[in-house]
Amino acid sequence: MEVGTLQIERISAELRTRRIGRRIEYLNSTTSTNDEAWQRIEEDTADGLVILAEYQTAGRGRLGRVWHSPRGASLLCSVALIDRLESRSDKVASRSCRVGELTGGEIGLLAAVAARDAIVCCSDVIPIIKWPNDLLVAGRKLGGVLIESRVRRDSSRACVLGIGINCLQQTGHLPPELADSATSLELESDRVVDRTALVIALLAELDGWLTSDQRRLNGHIRAAWLARCEPMGQRIRLQHGGRVYSGSVVDIDPDAALIVRLDEGGVRAFSAAHTTIIRGTSTASG
Ligand code: BT5
């Protein structure tokens, strides 16, 4: 088992990225790495900024949920992305969550793919992605992705991509309510967990996606996500707009909404930002 803190000098020395991690900040403790990224978002060098922390006092998931991370045990990472399109049509500019050619949904998909591939590279664990962006091992949650977006003072769009991966947690390190639903690399992998190597692999994977020609990326992101996700067709119950729906999963749409054939009839898309999967169905989590 790895002991000690992240080796930031090693990350700087070994990282060969073009966009992600040109600037890296490492904190012993913070409220949330996403908060730290938002505090720096107006700075000229914010695009590609990476915040890493050993501990979060108010780590968050989607829809105001809590993200738990005992000190020094997790990979806690946020990446700031600034819309770098030189000219955008009004239609594109008016979209609520978009950076460059990518929507927030697509950025979430690529973040989950990048995190999954980095884990495969650094361990003997092969997580499955569960919609929208959970990383599961044998049905237990190993990590998650949180995408937030806002408009900067100069009207450019900004997005903060937050990734949490459980690395060194032993049984008992997570709150009792997560004892049956969460896991860590330490619990799942026979290999020594090297968080520093995992950070380097994650930033390299993200950089690979985010420095590609984004106009040609869209179909590739969705295909990569589908190749790594739970099989389609599973039964699901979900909560959306104060209602519970049940049905079977058909697909995801280009913006990462889950497409479900409803038991009540019809096929409907559910956005990740407003939908919660209800635990207790065969594959639910979160
Ligand atoms: C997520 O939300 O899975 C996104 C988590 C993103 C966390 C990162 S850490 C770095 C950055 N800074 C932040 O403040 N956040 C990001 P969601 O799909 O809403 O899942 C949240 C749910 O997962 C909770 O309600 C719990 O049920 C469960 N959970 C919380 N902590 C967990 C953990 N460490 N491991 C597994 N499950 C956890």
Side-chain angles (χ1 to χ4, degrees):
M1 172 172 153
E2 179 206 49
V3 285
T5 53
L6 281 174
Q7 299 164 274
I8 296 304
E9 284 171 14
R10 185 178 144 209
I11 295 174
S12 300
E14 292 184 18
L15 204 59
R16 297 280 178 272
T17 51
R18 286 194 285 153
R19 180 177 181 188
I20 306 304
R22 286 180 302 190
R23 182 176 150 202
I24 299 178
E25 294 189 25
Y26 171 55
L27 304 161
N28 190 32
S29 176
T30 175
T31 52
S32 153
T33 52
N34 273 35
D35 289 342
E36 298 283 349
W38 283 122
Q39 281 165 22
R40 293 154 183 74
I41 208 74
E42 297 290 344
E43 296 171 13
D44 290 342
T45 56
D47 184 60
L49 165 71
V50 171
I51 308 281
L52 299 165
E54 294 291 351
Y55 184 60
Q56 297 183 134
T57 55
R60 60 178 174 267
R62 297 177 307 124
L63 301 165
R65 293 190 282 246
V66 173
W67 186 256
H68 296 277
S69 51
R71 185 177 293 277
S74 309
L75 182 155
L76 304 170
C77 173
S78 293
V79 177
L81 300 172
I82 313 293
D83 190 340
R84 299 190 306 175
L85 275 191
E86 283 167 19
S87 64
R88 288 168 295 152
S89 69
D90 288 339
K91 185 173 171 219
V92 168
S94 71
R95 296 272 181 88
S96 60
C97 182
R98 178 177 275 270
V99 172
E101 295 288 337
L102 301 175
T103 65
E106 289 166 326
I107 292 169
L109 297 185
L110 77 80
V113 168
R116 179 266 185 204
D117 288 356
I119 290 166
V120 169
C121 172
C122 297
S123 73
D124 50 13
V125 169
I126 304 180
I128 282 182
I129 304 175
K130 175 180 175 51
W131 186 87
N133 295 310
D134 287 354
L135 300 170
L136 300 190
V137 182
R140 291 174 184 244
K141 187 158 168 172
L142 179 71
V145 172
L146 171 69
I147 306 296
E148 297 174 326
S149 75
R150 295 181 194 164
V151 178
R152 298 205 309 169
R153 278 200 288 272
D154 65 1
S155 299
S156 58
R157 298 216 168 260
C159 165
V160 171
L161 187 170
I163 297 176
I165 301 173
N166 299 332
C167 294
L168 302 173
Q169 286 88 341
Q170 310 266 11
T171 309
H173 281 171
L174 285 160
E177 67 270 23
L178 298 181
D180 294 333
S181 63
T183 191
S184 71
L185 287 177
E186 178 70 19
L187 292 170
E188 301 290 341
S189 179
D190 288 330
R191 275 169 60 179
V192 171
V193 180
D194 181 346
R195 284 189 305 153
T196 302
L198 186 58
V199 169
I200 294 167
L202 174 65
L203 300 184
E205 293 288 343
L206 288 172
D207 195 66
W209 284 108
L210 290 162
T211 54
S212 303
D213 179 348
Q214 295 187 359
R215 277 160 301 190
R216 298 175 52 199
L217 256 189
N218 308 39
H220 292 296
I221 294 173
R222 185 169 162 279
W225 190 95
L226 286 169
R228 293 159 177 78
C229 76
E230 291 181 317
M232 292 290 143
Q234 74 269 30
R235 301 277 312 150
I236 197 166
R237 285 177 73 228
L238 42 83
Q239 188 148 22
H240 178 95
R243 268 201 63 189
V244 173
Y245 296 84
S246 59
S248 37
V249 177
V250 176
D251 202 351
I252 56 164
D253 78 5
D255 195 24
L258 190 70
I259 301 177
V260 179
R261 185 177 305 285
L262 297 172
D263 293 343
E264 65 193 54
V267 173
R268 180 170 169 170
F270 292 90
S271 72
H274 303 106
T275 306
T276 301
I277 295 179
I278 299 172
R279 288 186 61 79
T281 38
S282 55
T283 54
S285 85

